[in-house]
Amino acid sequence: MRTSVTSMIIATATVVSTPAFAEDISYTVNDEAFTGYWAEAESPKGLVLIMHDWDGMTDYERERADMLAEMGYNAFALDMFGYKTPTETVDHRRAATGALYEDRERMRSLIKAGVDEALSRSDVSQMVVMGYCFGGAVALEMARSEMADTASGYATFHGGLTTPEGQTWQGDEPPVLVMHGGADSSIKMEDVATLATELEGAGTTYTIEVFSGAPHAFTVFGSDNYQERADVASWESFNRFLAAQLPG
């Protein structure tokens, strides 16, 4: 079932190349070990950075990176947790994400390390950053940071949307695409409205798409929350965003 769904999603976009190769990448940040995943396109039109969900850098991110490489983009799924961080249980995941939410300086340093690793491997530097759930919050953290202009755009799938205290949107950030499930019980529509108000007030270019009946984590293949209709539609929207921000 996963194979057929993935194939259908890929078929919604124009496939212009096949992956040159893909592999796990080990890198270090302040002597800590991290593992990302690199998928390279044959003739890349741009680079996509993938921010993982709260369960860490898994086969899900590898699969999405492969899909992007098949569409003609280099892709790097970075690691925000590191080798020693347990993610097996819900409590582990809450602890891992909570530690980074409480330490935004560390979050940004890990983002920068992943960006640097991706750029060191890519022969194209124009970049879009995407994130899933926790990774969506990480993508927006980068968009609000001094690294914002490193990328041409930011996209979140059922991602965390709250702007932390002490941070603001300035209005000169690259375009932001938010894809949200209308039935998301973890990230409420009130959060979507608050973000829209903040972005509108700042003058940031943004698009928000809400998919009716889609729960939280609606893109996660094989999960109880997976909704094929919303997954396919959001992937198509993301493809259009990539085409606009990474014209090749």
Side-chain angles (χ1 to χ4, degrees), residues 6 12 14 25 42 56 59 67 69-70 72 75 80 85-86 96 98 108 138 147 163 166 202-204 209 221 227 235:
T6 302
T12 65
T14 300
I25 300 296
E42 192 70 36
D59 284 343
M67 291 167 64
E70 290 171 1
M80 291 295 295
T85 301
R108 292 188 179 195
V138 175
M147 297 176 282
T163 302
T204 303
E209 298 195 12
F221 304 130
Q227 190 195 89
W235 192 251

Side-chain angles (χ1 to χ4, degrees), residues 79-215:
D79 181 2
M80 291 295 295
F81 292 162
Y83 180 74
K84 292 184 178 180
T85 301
T87 57
E88 289 81 8
T89 69
V90 169
D91 286 343
H92 288 156
R93 296 167 190 174
R94 285 180 179 148
T97 55
L100 289 177
Y101 283 136
E102 291 297 319
D103 188 348
R104 297 285 173 156
E105 184 176 347
R106 175 171 170 79
M107 181 186 285
R108 292 188 179 195
S109 71
L110 295 178
I111 294 169
K112 186 178 185 306
V115 169
D116 290 346
E117 186 67 30
L119 290 174
S120 74
R121 296 177 178 277
S122 181
D123 53 0
V124 289
S125 59
Q126 194 172 19
M127 176 195 310
V128 161
V129 178
M130 66 184 295
Y132 293 96
C133 299
F134 163 72
V138 175
L140 296 186
E141 181 73 20
M142 182 175 172
R144 291 186 300 265
S145 77
E146 68 282 354
M147 297 176 282
D149 288 340
T150 307
S152 300
Y154 294 86
T156 80
F157 294 79
H158 41 81
L161 304 178
T162 303
T163 302
E165 185 176 353
Q167 292 189 27
T168 58
W169 293 92
Q170 300 301 314
D172 56 356
E173 298 86 3
V176 173
L177 172 63
V178 174
M179 288 164 288
H180 183 76
D184 193 327
S185 59
S186 297
I187 300 164
K188 306 291 187 179
M189 288 299 295
E190 289 85 349
D191 298 324
V192 179
T194 297
L195 178 63
T197 300
E198 293 173 355
L199 295 173
E200 190 68 31
T204 303
T205 299
Y206 69 96
T207 300
I208 296 176
E209 298 195 12
V210 178
F211 303 96
S212 64

Side-chain angles (χ1 to χ4, degrees), residues 5-117:
V5 169
T6 302
S7 298
M8 184 177 66
I9 293 171
I10 292 173
T12 65
T14 300
V15 179
V16 296
S17 62
T18 56
F21 67 87
E23 62 181 357
D24 281 346
I25 300 296
S26 297
Y27 61 104
T28 60
V29 184
N30 297 326
D31 296 325
E32 293 181 65
F34 292 78
T35 301
Y37 181 76
W38 173 254
E40 186 168 311
E42 192 70 36
S43 300
K45 297 177 288 187
L47 171 64
V48 181
L49 200 69
I50 302 173
M51 307 295 193
H52 61 70
D53 195 355
W54 74 336
D55 55 351
M57 213 293 293
T58 69
D59 284 343
Y60 177 75
E61 287 76 24
R62 292 182 179 92
E63 186 167 359
R64 290 293 183 179
D66 287 345
M67 291 167 64
L68 288 162
E70 290 171 1
M71 291 159 47
Y73 301 98
N74 288 344
F76 184 65
L78 62 80
D79 181 2
M80 291 295 295
F81 292 162
Y83 180 74
K84 292 184 178 180
T85 301
T87 57
E88 289 81 8
T89 69
V90 169
D91 286 343
H92 288 156
R93 296 167 190 174
R94 285 180 179 148
T97 55
L100 289 177
Y101 283 136
E102 291 297 319
D103 188 348
R104 297 285 173 156
E105 184 176 347
R106 175 171 170 79
M107 181 186 285
R108 292 188 179 195
S109 71
L110 295 178
I111 294 169
K112 186 178 185 306
V115 169
D116 290 346
E117 186 67 30

